[in-house]
């Protein structure tokens, strides 16, 4: 008997993948081509009755000349290729020895298994029992070349989500090159839709951009070697009329941390071909006969409850079946980081003084940021030399960590392991260990070069350097930073067979290899990913590290839109957010301490300032914030997010988090710009139990009332925040 979530109708050669409320349907047509038939609301398995929409269309060529109605150019495809009769964007491109790219992929076989196999060497969603998902693998073959493509689909039982990936196998007898591999490609039947991307830059990551689809190509990409601050490997396609609460939305995430493309091409018949994956020039992967290329995983999420429903599915899946380790479901420690408090200007006494004050208000962990190693007095030198600078920290990390532990706090440490300063012992010893092209210059950014993680000896150095430090002292947390993008992307390991067109991807695979080993060896260490703030906030990094420093911009008002955009795909528990000093160091804005705290109340809350410098009033507020956070930290770690008010109009933001059992909720409202003599604001809540009453302060109000009528808010002034704690009675 076939497993439940995936059914195959052999009469019509149709595959049905069924989530709790959604279906994804594929069909093999009479010529063996795999067609995309449906991705949307659930439908019962059976013949669709309209599998091929065939029509004689001018300028759409016919691979079977006897049939003028058949052209790949007009059919909705599941794994389109180039050079045959489809002129739209291919999902797969393989360069043959003669330089051509034609692949005529036809169905060869399929298999359905219970559970979800992993992707060796790559991050991926997972299951904890074989009943949680079924996996369908369809093998397609191009008979003339012998190239095969294995498409893999895992349908989750509890989520309207599918994990999709592809593997390209060169079963021919000549060397070939993979130059494009889209892990997902879906021909959505109507272009009456909008595309959402998460775009921005350093200090303004993941701003929501929504634009109508128009004929032609639109999308985003990163050529920076990382997923980047500028674009994010997550897009959503919104049906006409869909919004935060209503309508059908489809989200696509690439579980990957390197270069990517995410695009929609609207064709002449209003089909929206939606793709996410990897592409040349960052990808030109050599496949010798018998070799295979495994593309990263894409996660496809469908919702009929607008962007909010899509996000909640992403959050639950990413939080519980992408992130791993003992901190996955646990409330995270409240930490204080010294970066904005001291930058490079610290010593043991200063750090202990910051930690001691933080302990007084209830902070649980002290994190030492950049500058503790080598000749690191600024950003000019030292990266790569992971040996504690004992002139700054006499007695080394062990003494400092013990001093922090003596305060009954945990100790955390910053690293930037993928980098090297030319002014470092590491570079002097191994000048060829960075990415570079012989005979060309080496572009620096922040005075640093990128280590060549494609090389096993470099990975071994990085691993041993970090592991050695972690073994040397009581270190409970690591902030893993990465502060530049990749240029001159080539490896001195080419002689050993590393071709230039593979270096981008091999760098990412090398990073994943190091991360897998480090996080496995140190399961008790909480890892936080960072890349100049949120420059590598993607599903790939979440697999290794359950939280990410969301942005170097710690201003509470800027953070509203950064965290709002980030929450489109990524759970609150993954967003590192800190209370920092005012005037803010990035934008010089002054906001109330309480607002800074409320905005930083994500699942990964902390401070980044010297509390000794606060006024008694502000210090008292930080104490109250910690008390308030402790009340809701479990809720924030696992609750469902409802975005109530989008901050993009510059007026106000509001959101709420509801516990999975709907017993507890936290509502947050932040006024951005006050309006004179304004109407009294009302915010309609969501996600509550309509049949229950909720206690808010001294009052009890029905869940139905709070959702249908709303919560009446007082008038507030610029940058003021308010929170309401709801408990079901
Ligand atoms: C960039 C990070 O985002 C900051 O938080 C800080 O760790 C600096 N790097 C240190 O160089």
């Amino acid at each position: 008997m076939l497993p439940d979530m995936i059914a195959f109708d052999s009469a019509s050669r149709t595959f049905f993948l069924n989530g709790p409320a959604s279906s994804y349907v594929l069909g093999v047509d009479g010529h063996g081509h795999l067609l995309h038939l449906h991705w949307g609301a659930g439908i019962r398995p059976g013949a669709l009755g309209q599998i091929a929409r065939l029509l004689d269309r001018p300028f759409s060529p016919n691979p079977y000349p006897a049939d003028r109605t058949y052209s790949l150019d007009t059919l909705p495809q599941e794994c389109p290729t180039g050079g045959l009769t489809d002129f739209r964007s291919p999902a797969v491109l393989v360069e043959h020895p003669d330089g051509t790219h034609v692949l005529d992929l036809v169905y060869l076989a399929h298999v359905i298994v219970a559970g979800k196999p992993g992707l060796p060497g790559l991050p991926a969603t997972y299951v904890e029992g074989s009943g949680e998902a079924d996996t369908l693998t369809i093998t397609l073959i191009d008979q003339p070349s012998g190239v095969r493509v294995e498409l893999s689909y895992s349908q989750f039982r509890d989520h309207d989500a599918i994990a999709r990936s592809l593997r390209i196998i060169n079963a021919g007898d000549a060397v070939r090159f993979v130059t494009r591999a889209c892990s997902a490609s879906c021909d959505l039947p109507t272009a009456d839709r909008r595309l959402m991307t998460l775009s921005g830059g350093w200090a303004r990551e993941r701003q929501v951009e929504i634009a109508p689809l128009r004929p032609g190509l639109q999308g985003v990409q990163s050529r920076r070697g990382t997923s980047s601050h500028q674009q994010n490997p997550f897009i959503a396609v919104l049906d006409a009329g869909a919004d935060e609460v209503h309508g059908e939305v489809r989200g696509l995430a690439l579980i990957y941390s390197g270069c990517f493309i995410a695009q929609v091409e609207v064709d002449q018949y209003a089909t929206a071909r939606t793709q996410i994956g990897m592409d040349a020039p960052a990808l030109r992967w050599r496949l010798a006969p018998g070799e295979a290329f495994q593309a990263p995983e894409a996660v496809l999420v469908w919702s009929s409850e607008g962007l909010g429903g899509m996000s909640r599915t992403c959050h639950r899946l990413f939080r519980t079946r992408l992130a791993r380790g003992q901190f996955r479901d646990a409330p995270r420690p409240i930490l204080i980081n010294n970066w904005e408090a001291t930058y490079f200007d610290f010593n043991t006494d200063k750090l202990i003084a910051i930690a001691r004050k933080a302990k007084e208000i209830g902070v649980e962990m002290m994190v030492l940021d950049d500058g503790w190693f080598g000749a690191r007095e600024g950003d000019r030198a030292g990266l790569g030399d992971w040996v504690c600078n004992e002139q700054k920290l006499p007695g080394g990390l062990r003494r400092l960590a013990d001093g922090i532990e003596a305060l009954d706090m945990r100790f955390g440490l910053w690293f930037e392991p993928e980098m090297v300063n030319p002014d470092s012992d590491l570079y002097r010893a191994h000048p060829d260990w960075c990415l570079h092209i012989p005979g060309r210059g080496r572009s620096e950014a922040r005075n640093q070069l990128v280590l060549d993680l494609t090389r096993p000896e470099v990975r071994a150095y990085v691993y041993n350097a970090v592991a050695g430090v972690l073994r040397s002292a009581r270190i409970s947390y690591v902030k893993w930073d990465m502060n530049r993008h990749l240029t001159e992307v080539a490896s001195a390991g080419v002689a050993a067979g590393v071709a230039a067109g593979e270096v981008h991807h091999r760098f990412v695979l090398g990073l994943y290899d190091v991360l897998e080993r480090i996080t496995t060896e140190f399961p008790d260490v909480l890892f936080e990913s960072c890349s100049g703030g949120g420059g590598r906030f993607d599903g790939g990094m979440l697999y290794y590290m359950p939280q990410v420093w969301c942005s170097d911009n710690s201003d509470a008002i800027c953070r509203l839109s950064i965290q709002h955009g980030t929450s489109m795909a990524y759970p609150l528990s993954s967003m590192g957010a800190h209370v920092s000093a005012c005037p803010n160091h990035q934008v010089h804005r002054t906001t109330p301490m309480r607002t800074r705290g409320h905005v930083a109340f994500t699942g990964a809350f902390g401070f980044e300032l010297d509390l000794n410098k606060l006024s008694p009033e502000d210090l008292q507020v930080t104490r109250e914030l910690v008390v308030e956070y402790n009340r809701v930290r479990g809720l924030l770690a696992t609750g469902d997010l409802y975005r109530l008010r989008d901050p993009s109009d510059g007026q106000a933001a509001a959101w709420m988090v509801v516990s999975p059992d709907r017993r507890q909720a936290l509502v947050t409202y932040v006024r951005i710009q006050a309006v004179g003599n304004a109407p009294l604001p009302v915010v309609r809540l969501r996600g509550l139990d309509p049949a229950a009453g909720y206690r808010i302060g001294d009052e009890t109000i029905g869940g139905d009332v709070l959702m249908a009528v709303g919560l009446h808010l007082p008038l507030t002034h610029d940058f003021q925040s308010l929170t309401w704690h709801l408990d079901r009675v």
Side-chain angles (χ1 to χ4, degrees):
M1 210 176 75
L2 287 174
D4 273 339
M5 290 156 258
I6 300 182
F8 177 58
D9 182 64
S10 54
S12 60
R13 297 211 289 180
T14 310
F15 299 94
F16 290 83
L17 285 67
N18 294 308
S22 62
S23 293
Y24 189 102
V25 187
L26 310 171
V28 181
D29 74 10
H31 297 288
H33 294 121
L34 189 62
L35 303 184
H36 177 89
L37 301 179
H38 175 69
W39 176 25
I43 54 178
R44 275 169 287 126
L48 295 193
Q50 46 181 9
I51 185 162
R53 293 166 255 175
L54 299 177
L55 200 59
D56 181 358
R57 296 282 202 182
F59 288 88
S60 288
N62 319 112
Y64 315 106
D67 182 359
R68 284 183 47 151
T69 67
Y70 191 95
S71 175
L72 297 172
D73 201 30
T74 60
L75 285 168
Q77 296 191 58
E78 188 65 11
C79 187
T81 59
L84 210 51
T85 60
D86 187 347
F87 298 101
R88 299 167 292 177
S89 299
V92 172
L93 276 182
V94 173
E95 187 185 308
H96 300 297
D98 60 3
T100 62
H101 281 93
V102 174
L103 285 179
D104 186 13
L105 293 175
V106 292
Y107 171 87
L108 181 67
H110 77 268
V111 59
I112 300 170
V113 297
K116 180 179 189 297
L119 293 183
L122 281 166
T125 53
Y126 58 89
V127 291
E128 292 196 334
S130 61
E132 288 186 7
D134 288 340
T135 298
L136 161 70
T137 304
I138 302 174
T139 304
L140 307 175
I141 185 166
D142 174 53
Q143 294 288 1
S145 67
V147 170
R148 294 177 185 208
V149 175
E150 286 178 3
L151 302 174
S152 156
Y153 302 83
S154 297
Q155 171 66 62
F156 292 92
R157 181 191 59 204
D158 301 331
H159 309 284
D160 286 307
I162 293 168
R164 201 179 145 174
S165 64
L166 65 85
R167 201 160 163 260
I168 302 167
I169 304 143
N170 182 7
D173 53 10
V175 170
R176 294 183 160 78
F177 291 89
V178 177
T179 60
R180 185 173 170 98
C182 290
S183 303
S185 179
C186 301
D187 281 356
L188 306 176
T190 156
D192 185 13
R193 297 183 149 107
R194 283 158 296 143
L195 173 66
M196 187 198 75
T197 61
L198 303 176
S199 308
W202 175 81
R204 51 184 165 80
E205 296 91 338
R206 292 172 298 286
Q207 306 292 312
V208 174
E209 299 286 338
I210 299 181
L213 291 178
R214 51 180 169 68
L217 206 56
Q218 46 241 281
V220 295
Q221 64 180 16
S222 167
R223 289 185 176 160
R224 294 173 171 267
T226 74
S227 48
S228 86
H229 309 80
Q230 288 72 12
Q231 303 295 349
N232 191 267
F234 182 87
I235 57 171
V237 178
L238 289 76
D239 273 11
D243 58 20
E244 174 65 27
V245 184
H246 310 100
E248 289 190 48
V249 177
R250 291 159 185 83
L252 291 88
L254 193 67
I255 309 302
Y256 189 60
S257 311
C259 298
F260 71 91
I261 51 151
Q263 65 178 51
V264 181
E265 183 180 2
V266 176
D267 74 8
Q268 57 186 327
Y269 301 116
T271 299
R273 175 165 292 177
T274 305
Q275 301 181 317
I276 196 160
M278 301 168 71
D279 194 19
L283 180 71
R284 189 169 189 275
W285 194 269
R286 186 178 187 275
L287 279 188
E291 287 183 344
F293 175 77
Q294 174 64 57
E297 176 168 293
V299 171
L300 280 60
V301 169
W302 175 85
S303 162
S304 60
E305 292 174 18
L307 288 167
M310 174 199 75
S311 299
R312 284 185 291 281
T313 299
C314 288
H315 295 177
R316 285 189 211 115
L317 184 65
F318 291 174
R319 189 173 55 70
T320 64
R321 293 295 181 266
L322 178 60
R324 299 177 298 170
Q326 58 174 278
F327 299 97
R328 186 186 77 175
D329 307 319
R332 311 288 161 68
I334 304 173
L335 62 82
I336 187 156
N337 178 304
N338 75 305
W339 179 243
E340 288 197 19
T342 67
Y343 296 102
F344 291 103
D345 182 19
F346 60 82
N347 55 35
T348 306
D349 290 347
K350 257 194 196 179
L351 296 172
I352 294 283
I354 291 172
R356 183 169 286 124
K357 197 71 180 173
K359 174 69 188 170
E360 275 176 37
I361 67 157
V363 171
E364 296 152 331
M365 179 183 283
M366 169 79 200
V367 176
L368 171 54
D369 209 279
D370 194 354
W372 56 267
F373 50 90
R376 188 84 170 160
E377 297 300 338
D379 63 20
R380 207 190 48 76
L383 282 177
D385 301 338
W386 299 107
V387 176
C388 183
N389 179 338
E390 296 216 15
Q391 277 166 353
K392 257 186 179 175
L393 302 173
L397 289 173
R398 177 174 300 207
R399 185 183 295 173
L400 177 62
D402 288 349
I404 301 292
E405 289 266 343
L407 297 173
D408 193 23
M409 294 174 86
R410 307 283 84 78
F411 176 62
L413 196 61
W414 178 96
F415 288 89
E416 193 176 358
E418 299 154 73
M419 297 291 155
V420 62
N421 284 122
D423 186 358
S424 67
D425 293 341
L426 178 66
Y427 190 76
R428 283 182 280 275
H430 299 286
D432 67 332
W433 273 15
C434 62
L435 296 177
H436 67 283
I437 302 174
R440 292 189 181 272
R442 300 176 181 196
S443 305
E444 293 180 17
R446 210 190 188 210
N447 304 306
Q448 63 199 53
L449 297 164
V450 182
L451 283 175
D452 180 359
L453 296 184
T454 71
R455 298 175 64 166
E457 63 275 31
V458 179
R459 294 203 295 277
Y461 173 83
V462 168
Y463 171 77
N464 287 326
V466 176
V469 173
L470 294 185
R471 287 186 207 114
S472 74
R474 286 196 281 174
I475 297 168
S476 306
Y477 159 105
V478 165
K479 177 177 174 185
W480 185 292
D481 203 351
M482 201 271 192
N483 282 304
R484 65 158 290 178
H485 292 145
L486 279 52
T487 59
E488 292 101 15
V489 184
S491 168
V494 167
V498 184
E502 301 183 4
V503 174
H504 266 294
H505 185 47
R506 284 192 189 276
F507 175 85
V508 178
L509 294 179
L511 170 66
Y512 290 157
D513 173 49
V514 173
L515 295 181
E516 183 67 28
R517 289 163 61 196
I518 297 262
T519 54
T520 305
E521 183 176 339
F522 298 96
D524 297 335
V525 174
L526 169 61
F527 285 82
E528 176 160 333
S529 165
C530 173
S531 176
R536 204 161 52 181
F537 206 134
D538 56 63
M541 294 308 285
L542 272 186
Y543 182 70
Y544 302 98
M545 307 188 180
Q547 61 190 59
V548 186
W549 180 226
C550 206
S551 176
D552 272 347
N553 190 339
S554 61
D555 170 64
I557 300 306
C558 293
R559 275 295 186 114
L560 292 173
S561 60
I562 294 170
Q563 294 175 193
H564 174 83
T566 305
S567 79
M568 286 293 157
Y570 306 105
L572 276 186
S573 59
S574 67
M575 294 183 212
H578 298 170
V579 171
S580 62
C582 277
N584 174 267
H585 292 194
Q586 293 79 39
V587 296
H588 298 272
R589 184 182 282 127
T590 295
T591 51
M593 176 59 79
R594 201 174 300 281
T595 303
R596 284 176 262 164
H598 286 158
V599 175
F601 274 10
T602 68
F605 171 60
F607 292 85
E608 187 149 340
L609 75 175
D610 186 347
L611 294 160
N612 294 295
K613 296 184 177 160
L614 291 185
S615 67
E617 294 75 25
D618 272 353
L619 190 63
Q620 177 55 25
V621 176
T622 63
R623 263 193 206 100
E624 291 165 14
L625 284 168
V626 170
V627 170
E628 185 175 2
Y629 180 73
N630 279 331
R631 192 173 156 193
V632 287
R633 63 196 304 183
L635 164 68
L636 293 169
T638 57
D640 286 325
L641 175 72
Y642 292 82
R643 290 178 294 258
L644 304 176
R645 201 186 187 296
D646 179 343
S648 63
D649 66 358
Q651 299 296 307
W655 63 95
M656 68 187 288
V657 182
V658 184
S659 63
D661 61 8
R662 299 192 289 177
R663 284 182 171 278
Q664 202 192 356
L666 173 72
V667 180
T668 307
Y669 177 86
V670 180
R671 163 59 73 185
I672 301 175
Q673 263 198 348
V675 174
N677 193 25
L680 276 172
V682 179
V683 176
R684 282 197 201 162
L685 305 190
R686 291 206 285 276
L688 300 174
D689 178 352
Y694 286 87
R695 192 165 31 249
I696 310 177
D698 299 336
E699 271 187 297
T700 296
I701 308 178
D704 52 353
V705 174
L706 290 166
M707 293 193 289
V709 180
L711 189 66
H712 290 267
L713 315 183
L715 286 181
T716 43
H717 50 72
D718 281 6
F719 311 143
Q720 190 184 348
S721 68
L722 298 164
T723 54
W724 293 263
H725 294 255
L726 277 61
D727 291 294
R728 195 164 75 187
V729 291

